[in-house]
Short mmCIF file of all heavy atoms in Angstrom, two decimals:
data_model
loop_
_atom_site.label_atom_id
_atom_site.label_comp_id
_atom_site.label_asym_id
_atom_site.label_seq_id
_atom_site.Cartn_x
_atom_site.Cartn_y
_atom_site.Cartn_z
N ARG B 266 -44.99 -163.43 -63.20
CA ARG B 266 -44.27 -163.94 -64.36
C ARG B 266 -43.58 -162.83 -65.09
O ARG B 266 -44.16 -161.70 -65.18
CB ARG B 266 -45.21 -164.70 -65.28
CG ARG B 266 -45.98 -165.81 -64.68
CD ARG B 266 -45.07 -167.00 -64.53
NE ARG B 266 -45.90 -168.14 -64.04
CZ ARG B 266 -45.90 -168.63 -62.80
NH1 ARG B 266 -45.12 -168.06 -61.87
NH2 ARG B 266 -46.58 -169.66 -62.45
N VAL B 267 -42.42 -163.12 -65.75
CA VAL B 267 -41.74 -162.12 -66.59
C VAL B 267 -41.62 -162.72 -67.98
O VAL B 267 -40.88 -163.70 -68.15
CB VAL B 267 -40.40 -161.75 -66.00
CG1 VAL B 267 -39.68 -160.76 -66.91
CG2 VAL B 267 -40.49 -161.17 -64.60
N ALA B 268 -42.38 -162.23 -68.91
CA ALA B 268 -42.28 -162.65 -70.21
C ALA B 268 -41.68 -161.57 -71.13
O ALA B 268 -41.87 -160.39 -70.95
CB ALA B 268 -43.70 -162.91 -70.79
N VAL B 269 -40.77 -162.02 -71.99
CA VAL B 269 -40.04 -161.13 -72.88
C VAL B 269 -40.49 -161.43 -74.31
O VAL B 269 -40.44 -162.57 -74.77
CB VAL B 269 -38.50 -161.32 -72.71
CG1 VAL B 269 -37.76 -160.38 -73.64
CG2 VAL B 269 -38.09 -161.09 -71.25
N THR B 270 -40.78 -160.33 -75.07
CA THR B 270 -41.15 -160.48 -76.47
C THR B 270 -40.41 -159.43 -77.30
O THR B 270 -39.98 -158.45 -76.77
CB THR B 270 -42.65 -160.34 -76.66
OG1 THR B 270 -43.05 -160.59 -78.04
CG2 THR B 270 -43.20 -158.98 -76.24
N GLY B 271 -40.13 -159.82 -78.48
CA GLY B 271 -39.50 -158.88 -79.43
C GLY B 271 -38.03 -158.88 -79.33
O GLY B 271 -37.40 -158.02 -79.93
N ALA B 272 -37.43 -159.82 -78.58
CA ALA B 272 -35.93 -159.77 -78.48
C ALA B 272 -35.34 -161.10 -78.89
O ALA B 272 -34.14 -161.04 -79.16
CB ALA B 272 -35.68 -159.48 -76.97
N SER B 273 -36.06 -162.16 -78.88
CA SER B 273 -35.48 -163.51 -79.11
C SER B 273 -35.70 -163.98 -80.58
O SER B 273 -36.75 -163.77 -81.09
CB SER B 273 -36.03 -164.51 -78.13
OG SER B 273 -35.60 -165.81 -78.43
N GLU B 274 -34.77 -164.79 -81.03
CA GLU B 274 -34.91 -165.41 -82.32
C GLU B 274 -36.04 -166.42 -82.28
O GLU B 274 -36.63 -166.77 -83.29
CB GLU B 274 -33.62 -166.07 -82.79
CG GLU B 274 -32.45 -165.14 -82.94
CD GLU B 274 -31.09 -165.73 -83.11
OE1 GLU B 274 -31.01 -166.98 -82.87
OE2 GLU B 274 -30.25 -165.01 -83.59
N GLU B 275 -36.36 -166.97 -81.06
CA GLU B 275 -37.35 -168.08 -80.88
C GLU B 275 -38.70 -167.53 -80.54
O GLU B 275 -39.66 -168.30 -80.28
CB GLU B 275 -36.80 -169.05 -79.87
CG GLU B 275 -35.49 -169.73 -80.20
CD GLU B 275 -35.57 -170.54 -81.45
OE1 GLU B 275 -36.50 -171.25 -81.69
OE2 GLU B 275 -34.58 -170.47 -82.26
N GLY B 276 -38.83 -166.19 -80.36
CA GLY B 276 -40.19 -165.66 -79.94
C GLY B 276 -40.24 -165.30 -78.49
O GLY B 276 -39.25 -165.06 -77.85
N VAL B 277 -41.42 -165.39 -77.92
CA VAL B 277 -41.61 -165.03 -76.51
C VAL B 277 -40.94 -166.02 -75.57
O VAL B 277 -41.02 -167.26 -75.88
CB VAL B 277 -43.09 -164.94 -76.22
CG1 VAL B 277 -43.41 -164.62 -74.78
CG2 VAL B 277 -43.80 -163.86 -77.10
N PHE B 278 -40.40 -165.55 -74.53
CA PHE B 278 -39.78 -166.49 -73.55
C PHE B 278 -39.97 -165.86 -72.15
O PHE B 278 -40.20 -164.70 -72.02
CB PHE B 278 -38.29 -166.78 -73.89
CG PHE B 278 -37.35 -165.61 -73.71
CD1 PHE B 278 -36.70 -165.35 -72.51
CD2 PHE B 278 -37.19 -164.71 -74.72
CE1 PHE B 278 -35.90 -164.26 -72.37
CE2 PHE B 278 -36.34 -163.56 -74.61
CZ PHE B 278 -35.69 -163.38 -73.47
N ARG B 279 -39.85 -166.69 -71.14
CA ARG B 279 -39.91 -166.21 -69.72
C ARG B 279 -38.46 -166.07 -69.22
O ARG B 279 -37.54 -166.92 -69.42
CB ARG B 279 -40.69 -167.24 -68.92
CG ARG B 279 -42.09 -167.20 -69.17
CD ARG B 279 -42.97 -168.15 -68.49
NE ARG B 279 -42.81 -168.13 -67.00
CZ ARG B 279 -43.25 -169.08 -66.16
NH1 ARG B 279 -44.14 -169.96 -66.65
NH2 ARG B 279 -42.99 -168.98 -64.93
N TRP B 280 -38.22 -165.03 -68.49
CA TRP B 280 -37.03 -164.66 -67.78
C TRP B 280 -37.08 -165.19 -66.29
O TRP B 280 -37.51 -164.47 -65.49
CB TRP B 280 -36.73 -163.25 -67.88
CG TRP B 280 -35.35 -162.87 -67.50
CD1 TRP B 280 -34.25 -163.60 -67.27
CD2 TRP B 280 -34.89 -161.51 -67.22
NE1 TRP B 280 -33.18 -162.89 -66.83
CE2 TRP B 280 -33.55 -161.58 -66.83
CE3 TRP B 280 -35.52 -160.22 -67.36
CZ2 TRP B 280 -32.80 -160.44 -66.52
CZ3 TRP B 280 -34.71 -159.14 -67.01
CH2 TRP B 280 -33.45 -159.19 -66.61
N SER B 281 -36.67 -166.41 -66.18
CA SER B 281 -36.90 -167.09 -64.88
C SER B 281 -36.04 -166.46 -63.72
O SER B 281 -36.53 -166.40 -62.60
CB SER B 281 -36.61 -168.55 -64.98
OG SER B 281 -35.31 -168.81 -65.42
N GLU B 282 -34.90 -165.96 -64.03
CA GLU B 282 -34.07 -165.30 -63.01
C GLU B 282 -34.76 -164.02 -62.41
O GLU B 282 -34.73 -163.82 -61.27
CB GLU B 282 -32.68 -164.94 -63.56
CG GLU B 282 -31.82 -166.19 -63.85
CD GLU B 282 -32.06 -166.74 -65.28
OE1 GLU B 282 -32.90 -166.12 -66.01
OE2 GLU B 282 -31.46 -167.71 -65.58
N ALA B 283 -35.34 -163.23 -63.33
CA ALA B 283 -36.09 -162.10 -62.93
C ALA B 283 -37.27 -162.48 -62.11
O ALA B 283 -37.69 -161.85 -61.15
CB ALA B 283 -36.46 -161.21 -64.15
N GLU B 284 -38.01 -163.56 -62.56
CA GLU B 284 -39.25 -164.05 -61.79
C GLU B 284 -38.82 -164.43 -60.40
O GLU B 284 -39.52 -164.05 -59.38
CB GLU B 284 -39.76 -165.25 -62.52
CG GLU B 284 -40.46 -164.91 -63.84
CD GLU B 284 -41.00 -166.11 -64.55
OE1 GLU B 284 -40.95 -167.26 -63.97
OE2 GLU B 284 -41.59 -166.01 -65.65
N ALA B 285 -37.63 -165.06 -60.25
CA ALA B 285 -37.28 -165.52 -58.84
C ALA B 285 -36.91 -164.28 -58.00
O ALA B 285 -37.25 -164.18 -56.85
CB ALA B 285 -36.12 -166.47 -58.97
N ALA B 286 -36.18 -163.34 -58.63
CA ALA B 286 -35.80 -162.11 -57.84
C ALA B 286 -36.96 -161.38 -57.51
O ALA B 286 -37.16 -160.87 -56.29
CB ALA B 286 -34.75 -161.33 -58.69
N LEU B 287 -37.98 -161.18 -58.37
CA LEU B 287 -39.18 -160.40 -58.11
C LEU B 287 -40.15 -161.14 -57.15
O LEU B 287 -40.82 -160.51 -56.38
CB LEU B 287 -39.86 -160.03 -59.30
CG LEU B 287 -39.15 -158.98 -60.25
CD1 LEU B 287 -39.79 -158.90 -61.62
CD2 LEU B 287 -39.08 -157.72 -59.60
N GLY B 288 -40.02 -162.51 -57.14
CA GLY B 288 -40.85 -163.27 -56.23
C GLY B 288 -40.35 -163.06 -54.78
O GLY B 288 -41.18 -163.08 -53.82
N ALA B 289 -39.11 -162.81 -54.55
CA ALA B 289 -38.56 -162.56 -53.25
C ALA B 289 -38.74 -161.08 -52.86
O ALA B 289 -38.87 -160.80 -51.65
CB ALA B 289 -37.14 -162.91 -53.20
N ASN B 290 -38.70 -160.19 -53.77
CA ASN B 290 -38.74 -158.75 -53.41
C ASN B 290 -39.25 -157.99 -54.73
O ASN B 290 -38.55 -157.79 -55.65
CB ASN B 290 -37.38 -158.25 -53.04
CG ASN B 290 -37.37 -156.71 -52.84
OD1 ASN B 290 -38.39 -156.12 -52.69
ND2 ASN B 290 -36.11 -156.12 -52.88
N PHE B 291 -40.58 -157.68 -54.72
CA PHE B 291 -41.16 -157.08 -55.90
C PHE B 291 -40.81 -155.60 -55.92
O PHE B 291 -41.61 -154.71 -55.41
CB PHE B 291 -42.68 -157.29 -55.94
CG PHE B 291 -43.25 -156.86 -57.28
CD1 PHE B 291 -43.12 -157.72 -58.38
CD2 PHE B 291 -43.88 -155.69 -57.46
CE1 PHE B 291 -43.62 -157.36 -59.60
CE2 PHE B 291 -44.40 -155.34 -58.69
CZ PHE B 291 -44.31 -156.17 -59.82
N SER B 292 -39.66 -155.28 -56.45
CA SER B 292 -39.17 -153.88 -56.58
C SER B 292 -38.18 -153.89 -57.74
O SER B 292 -37.53 -154.89 -58.03
CB SER B 292 -38.58 -153.30 -55.31
OG SER B 292 -37.22 -153.94 -55.17
N ALA B 293 -38.02 -152.70 -58.35
CA ALA B 293 -37.07 -152.55 -59.42
C ALA B 293 -35.62 -152.86 -58.98
O ALA B 293 -34.79 -153.35 -59.74
CB ALA B 293 -37.17 -151.14 -60.08
N ASP B 294 -35.38 -152.58 -57.67
CA ASP B 294 -34.07 -152.86 -57.11
C ASP B 294 -33.72 -154.27 -57.11
O ASP B 294 -32.53 -154.68 -57.21
CB ASP B 294 -33.90 -152.33 -55.74
CG ASP B 294 -34.00 -150.78 -55.69
OD1 ASP B 294 -33.65 -150.18 -56.70
OD2 ASP B 294 -34.36 -150.20 -54.60
N ALA B 295 -34.75 -155.20 -57.03
CA ALA B 295 -34.47 -156.61 -56.95
C ALA B 295 -33.84 -157.16 -58.26
O ALA B 295 -33.14 -158.20 -58.19
CB ALA B 295 -35.88 -157.31 -56.72
N ILE B 296 -34.07 -156.49 -59.37
CA ILE B 296 -33.49 -156.99 -60.56
C ILE B 296 -32.30 -156.14 -61.04
O ILE B 296 -31.85 -156.26 -62.18
CB ILE B 296 -34.59 -157.14 -61.71
CG1 ILE B 296 -35.35 -155.87 -61.84
CG2 ILE B 296 -35.50 -158.35 -61.40
CD1 ILE B 296 -36.32 -155.88 -63.06
N GLY B 297 -31.90 -155.19 -60.12
CA GLY B 297 -30.84 -154.23 -60.55
C GLY B 297 -29.50 -154.92 -60.97
O GLY B 297 -28.88 -154.41 -61.81
N GLU B 298 -29.21 -156.06 -60.36
CA GLU B 298 -27.91 -156.67 -60.68
C GLU B 298 -27.99 -157.76 -61.74
O GLU B 298 -27.05 -158.37 -62.10
CB GLU B 298 -27.29 -157.17 -59.38
CG GLU B 298 -26.99 -156.19 -58.41
CD GLU B 298 -25.99 -155.10 -58.78
OE1 GLU B 298 -25.03 -155.48 -59.54
OE2 GLU B 298 -26.14 -153.92 -58.61
N LEU B 299 -29.27 -158.15 -62.08
CA LEU B 299 -29.40 -159.20 -63.03
C LEU B 299 -29.05 -158.83 -64.45
O LEU B 299 -29.19 -157.72 -64.85
CB LEU B 299 -30.89 -159.63 -63.10
CG LEU B 299 -31.52 -160.39 -61.86
CD1 LEU B 299 -32.94 -160.74 -62.10
CD2 LEU B 299 -30.69 -161.61 -61.57
N THR B 300 -28.49 -159.77 -65.12
CA THR B 300 -28.20 -159.61 -66.64
C THR B 300 -28.81 -160.77 -67.40
O THR B 300 -28.68 -161.90 -66.92
CB THR B 300 -26.71 -159.48 -66.87
OG1 THR B 300 -26.05 -160.64 -66.43
CG2 THR B 300 -26.13 -158.20 -66.23
N LEU B 301 -29.36 -160.43 -68.50
CA LEU B 301 -29.89 -161.47 -69.37
C LEU B 301 -28.85 -161.97 -70.41
O LEU B 301 -28.11 -161.11 -70.96
CB LEU B 301 -31.09 -160.94 -70.15
CG LEU B 301 -31.81 -161.83 -71.12
CD1 LEU B 301 -32.44 -163.09 -70.40
CD2 LEU B 301 -32.86 -161.13 -71.93
N ASP B 302 -28.67 -163.27 -70.51
CA ASP B 302 -27.72 -163.84 -71.46
C ASP B 302 -28.13 -163.39 -72.91
O ASP B 302 -29.30 -163.59 -73.21
CB ASP B 302 -27.70 -165.29 -71.24
CG ASP B 302 -26.65 -165.92 -72.21
OD1 ASP B 302 -25.73 -165.24 -72.80
OD2 ASP B 302 -26.62 -167.17 -72.38
N SER B 303 -27.22 -162.88 -73.71
CA SER B 303 -27.60 -162.43 -75.01
C SER B 303 -27.65 -163.57 -76.10
O SER B 303 -28.05 -163.26 -77.17
CB SER B 303 -26.59 -161.37 -75.54
OG SER B 303 -25.31 -161.88 -75.60
N GLU B 304 -27.31 -164.82 -75.61
CA GLU B 304 -27.37 -165.93 -76.66
C GLU B 304 -28.72 -166.18 -77.03
O GLU B 304 -29.67 -166.25 -76.23
CB GLU B 304 -26.76 -167.17 -75.90
CG GLU B 304 -26.66 -168.41 -76.88
CD GLU B 304 -25.69 -168.14 -77.95
OE1 GLU B 304 -24.70 -167.50 -77.73
OE2 GLU B 304 -25.99 -168.65 -79.10
N GLY B 305 -28.99 -166.23 -78.35
CA GLY B 305 -30.30 -166.46 -78.88
C GLY B 305 -31.13 -165.25 -79.04
O GLY B 305 -32.28 -165.33 -79.57
N LEU B 306 -30.60 -164.13 -78.82
CA LEU B 306 -31.36 -162.79 -78.99
C LEU B 306 -31.15 -162.36 -80.43
O LEU B 306 -30.14 -162.71 -81.09
CB LEU B 306 -30.97 -161.74 -78.03
CG LEU B 306 -31.30 -162.05 -76.57
CD1 LEU B 306 -30.94 -160.87 -75.69
CD2 LEU B 306 -32.74 -162.47 -76.31
N ILE B 307 -32.02 -161.50 -80.86
CA ILE B 307 -31.92 -160.93 -82.24
C ILE B 307 -30.87 -159.91 -82.31
O ILE B 307 -30.71 -159.05 -81.46
CB ILE B 307 -33.29 -160.29 -82.68
CG1 ILE B 307 -34.47 -161.39 -82.60
CG2 ILE B 307 -33.20 -159.62 -84.03
CD1 ILE B 307 -35.82 -160.75 -82.74
N ALA B 308 -30.13 -159.92 -83.42
CA ALA B 308 -29.14 -158.87 -83.74
C ALA B 308 -29.47 -158.38 -85.12
O ALA B 308 -29.58 -159.26 -86.03
CB ALA B 308 -27.70 -159.33 -83.63
N ASP B 309 -29.70 -157.14 -85.26
CA ASP B 309 -29.93 -156.58 -86.62
C ASP B 309 -29.46 -155.08 -86.65
O ASP B 309 -28.68 -154.69 -85.79
CB ASP B 309 -31.44 -156.65 -86.93
CG ASP B 309 -32.36 -155.94 -85.96
OD1 ASP B 309 -31.83 -155.06 -85.15
OD2 ASP B 309 -33.51 -156.24 -85.93
N LEU B 310 -29.93 -154.33 -87.67
CA LEU B 310 -29.44 -152.98 -87.84
C LEU B 310 -29.88 -152.09 -86.73
O LEU B 310 -29.35 -150.97 -86.49
CB LEU B 310 -29.78 -152.42 -89.20
CG LEU B 310 -31.27 -152.20 -89.44
CD1 LEU B 310 -31.50 -150.71 -89.55
CD2 LEU B 310 -31.69 -152.94 -90.66
N HIS B 311 -30.91 -152.49 -85.98
CA HIS B 311 -31.40 -151.68 -84.86
C HIS B 311 -30.65 -151.91 -83.53
O HIS B 311 -30.81 -151.09 -82.63
CB HIS B 311 -32.89 -152.00 -84.65
CG HIS B 311 -33.68 -151.66 -85.85
ND1 HIS B 311 -33.91 -150.39 -86.28
CD2 HIS B 311 -34.33 -152.51 -86.82
CE1 HIS B 311 -34.64 -150.44 -87.48
NE2 HIS B 311 -34.91 -151.71 -87.67
N GLY B 312 -29.91 -152.98 -83.47
CA GLY B 312 -29.23 -153.28 -82.25
C GLY B 312 -28.57 -154.59 -82.21
O GLY B 312 -28.98 -155.51 -82.84
N THR B 313 -27.49 -154.70 -81.39
CA THR B 313 -26.85 -155.96 -81.19
C THR B 313 -27.57 -156.80 -80.16
O THR B 313 -28.44 -156.36 -79.48
CB THR B 313 -25.34 -155.71 -80.63
OG1 THR B 313 -25.45 -155.11 -79.32
CG2 THR B 313 -24.53 -154.80 -81.56
N LYS B 314 -27.12 -158.07 -80.08
CA LYS B 314 -27.71 -158.96 -79.07
C LYS B 314 -27.46 -158.40 -77.64
O LYS B 314 -28.34 -158.49 -76.81
CB LYS B 314 -27.01 -160.40 -79.22
CG LYS B 314 -27.38 -161.08 -80.44
CD LYS B 314 -26.64 -162.40 -80.51
CE LYS B 314 -27.10 -163.18 -81.74
NZ LYS B 314 -26.76 -164.63 -81.65
N GLU B 315 -26.33 -157.89 -77.42
CA GLU B 315 -25.98 -157.34 -76.08
C GLU B 315 -26.84 -156.08 -75.78
O GLU B 315 -27.33 -155.94 -74.66
CB GLU B 315 -24.48 -156.92 -76.02
CG GLU B 315 -23.58 -158.16 -76.13
CD GLU B 315 -23.39 -158.69 -77.53
OE1 GLU B 315 -23.68 -157.89 -78.49
OE2 GLU B 315 -22.93 -159.85 -77.65
N TYR B 316 -27.06 -155.31 -76.81
CA TYR B 316 -27.99 -154.08 -76.61
C TYR B 316 -29.35 -154.62 -76.18
O TYR B 316 -29.97 -154.05 -75.35
CB TYR B 316 -28.01 -153.24 -77.82
CG TYR B 316 -29.09 -152.19 -77.81
CD1 TYR B 316 -28.88 -151.02 -77.00
CD2 TYR B 316 -30.31 -152.32 -78.50
CE1 TYR B 316 -29.82 -150.05 -76.97
CE2 TYR B 316 -31.19 -151.32 -78.43
CZ TYR B 316 -31.04 -150.20 -77.71
OH TYR B 316 -31.94 -149.26 -77.62
N ARG B 317 -29.92 -155.63 -76.91
CA ARG B 317 -31.19 -156.06 -76.65
C ARG B 317 -31.25 -156.67 -75.22
O ARG B 317 -32.24 -156.51 -74.55
CB ARG B 317 -31.69 -157.09 -77.59
CG ARG B 317 -31.95 -156.41 -79.01
CD ARG B 317 -32.57 -157.40 -79.95
NE ARG B 317 -32.51 -156.97 -81.31
CZ ARG B 317 -33.38 -156.08 -81.84
NH1 ARG B 317 -34.34 -155.58 -81.18
NH2 ARG B 317 -33.23 -155.71 -83.11
N ALA B 318 -30.26 -157.44 -74.83
CA ALA B 318 -30.21 -157.98 -73.47
C ALA B 318 -30.30 -156.85 -72.37
O ALA B 318 -31.04 -157.00 -71.44
CB ALA B 318 -28.98 -158.89 -73.25
N HIS B 319 -29.48 -155.81 -72.68
CA HIS B 319 -29.55 -154.65 -71.73
C HIS B 319 -30.90 -154.01 -71.75
O HIS B 319 -31.42 -153.64 -70.62
CB HIS B 319 -28.49 -153.69 -72.16
CG HIS B 319 -28.51 -152.43 -71.31
ND1 HIS B 319 -28.01 -152.32 -70.03
CD2 HIS B 319 -28.90 -151.15 -71.68
CE1 HIS B 319 -28.22 -151.10 -69.58
NE2 HIS B 319 -28.71 -150.41 -70.59
N LEU B 320 -31.51 -153.83 -72.87
CA LEU B 320 -32.84 -153.21 -72.94
C LEU B 320 -33.92 -153.98 -72.26
O LEU B 320 -34.77 -153.39 -71.65
CB LEU B 320 -33.16 -152.99 -74.46
CG LEU B 320 -34.40 -152.19 -74.75
CD1 LEU B 320 -34.22 -150.79 -74.15
CD2 LEU B 320 -34.70 -152.14 -76.27
N VAL B 321 -33.80 -155.31 -72.26
CA VAL B 321 -34.87 -156.08 -71.58
C VAL B 321 -34.73 -155.83 -70.08
O VAL B 321 -35.79 -155.65 -69.35
CB VAL B 321 -34.60 -157.65 -71.83
CG1 VAL B 321 -35.35 -158.51 -70.84
CG2 VAL B 321 -34.94 -157.99 -73.23
N GLY B 322 -33.48 -155.71 -69.48
CA GLY B 322 -33.37 -155.33 -68.18
C GLY B 322 -33.94 -153.95 -67.84
O GLY B 322 -34.63 -153.74 -66.79
N VAL B 323 -33.62 -153.00 -68.68
CA VAL B 323 -34.13 -151.60 -68.45
C VAL B 323 -35.60 -151.57 -68.52
O VAL B 323 -36.29 -150.98 -67.62
CB VAL B 323 -33.59 -150.65 -69.54
CG1 VAL B 323 -34.23 -149.31 -69.57
CG2 VAL B 323 -32.04 -150.46 -69.36
N MET B 324 -36.19 -152.24 -69.49
CA MET B 324 -37.68 -152.16 -69.63
C MET B 324 -38.35 -152.98 -68.48
O MET B 324 -39.47 -152.58 -68.06
CB MET B 324 -38.14 -152.73 -70.93
CG MET B 324 -37.55 -151.86 -72.16
SD MET B 324 -38.04 -150.10 -72.03
CE MET B 324 -39.80 -150.15 -72.20
N THR B 325 -37.74 -153.98 -68.02
CA THR B 325 -38.31 -154.82 -66.95
C THR B 325 -38.31 -153.87 -65.64
O THR B 325 -39.29 -153.88 -64.94
CB THR B 325 -37.55 -156.10 -66.72
OG1 THR B 325 -37.57 -156.90 -67.88
CG2 THR B 325 -38.16 -156.91 -65.62
N LYS B 326 -37.22 -153.24 -65.41
CA LYS B 326 -37.20 -152.34 -64.27
C LYS B 326 -38.25 -151.30 -64.28
O LYS B 326 -38.92 -150.95 -63.38
CB LYS B 326 -35.78 -151.64 -64.17
CG LYS B 326 -34.73 -152.69 -63.73
CD LYS B 326 -33.39 -151.92 -63.74
CE LYS B 326 -32.28 -153.03 -63.81
NZ LYS B 326 -30.89 -152.36 -64.06
N ARG B 327 -38.36 -150.67 -65.54
CA ARG B 327 -39.43 -149.65 -65.67
C ARG B 327 -40.85 -150.18 -65.44
O ARG B 327 -41.69 -149.50 -64.84
CB ARG B 327 -39.33 -149.03 -67.04
CG ARG B 327 -38.09 -148.14 -67.26
CD ARG B 327 -38.11 -147.60 -68.59
NE ARG B 327 -36.85 -146.76 -68.82
CZ ARG B 327 -36.64 -146.18 -69.92
NH1 ARG B 327 -37.44 -146.18 -70.99
NH2 ARG B 327 -35.52 -145.46 -70.09
N ALA B 328 -41.08 -151.36 -65.95
CA ALA B 328 -42.39 -151.99 -65.79
C ALA B 328 -42.70 -152.24 -64.29
O ALA B 328 -43.79 -151.92 -63.82
CB ALA B 328 -42.55 -153.24 -66.55
N VAL B 329 -41.73 -152.72 -63.57
CA VAL B 329 -41.95 -153.03 -62.14
C VAL B 329 -42.10 -151.75 -61.37
O VAL B 329 -42.95 -151.64 -60.57
CB VAL B 329 -40.69 -153.83 -61.56
CG1 VAL B 329 -40.83 -153.98 -60.06
CG2 VAL B 329 -40.75 -155.25 -62.16
N ALA B 330 -41.28 -150.69 -61.71
CA ALA B 330 -41.44 -149.44 -61.05
C ALA B 330 -42.80 -148.81 -61.24
O ALA B 330 -43.43 -148.20 -60.31
CB ALA B 330 -40.37 -148.50 -61.47
N ALA B 331 -43.38 -149.04 -62.46
CA ALA B 331 -44.69 -148.47 -62.76
C ALA B 331 -45.82 -149.21 -62.03
O ALA B 331 -46.92 -148.67 -61.77
CB ALA B 331 -44.88 -148.45 -64.27
N ALA B 332 -45.53 -150.43 -61.70
CA ALA B 332 -46.52 -151.34 -61.16
C ALA B 332 -46.64 -151.16 -59.60
O ALA B 332 -47.70 -151.51 -59.06
CB ALA B 332 -46.27 -152.80 -61.51
N VAL B 333 -45.63 -150.63 -59.02
CA VAL B 333 -45.68 -150.46 -57.55
C VAL B 333 -46.12 -149.20 -57.13
O VAL B 333 -46.22 -148.16 -57.78
CB VAL B 333 -44.32 -150.81 -56.87
CG1 VAL B 333 -44.05 -152.28 -56.99
CG2 VAL B 333 -43.20 -149.99 -57.45
#
């Protein structure tokens, strides 16, 4: 499962596209081309919605790389 916290206006959510990609190939490369839709993400003085969406991808790749 891929759960994302600290990025959404609604709280914790699951990133189902990343789950599907990692289910087929559990490697950081499997989610290399995925992008998270920024709709519904938090935008504040620390970052835009688009920045947070990008950061979710970066942190997910790092977590998978550390796990393998």
Side-chain angles (χ1 to χ4, degrees):
R266 305 282 187 257
V267 178
V269 179
T270 185
S273 173
E274 296 171 349
E275 302 296 321
V277 178
F278 67 95
R279 287 177 52 187
W280 188 11
S281 58
E282 293 85 2
E284 290 178 1
L287 291 170
N290 175 17
F291 192 77
S292 72
D294 293 336
I296 54 174
E298 299 299 318
L299 290 180
T300 56
L301 180 66
D302 184 15
S303 63
E304 185 64 35
L306 297 185
I307 299 169
D309 58 18
L310 67 114
H311 301 290
T313 64
K314 293 178 178 197
E315 294 77 18
Y316 171 76
R317 289 189 196 277
H319 173 73
L320 188 59
V321 167
V323 169
M324 297 307 293
T325 303
K326 289 176 198 170
R327 289 182 183 178
V329 171
V333 292

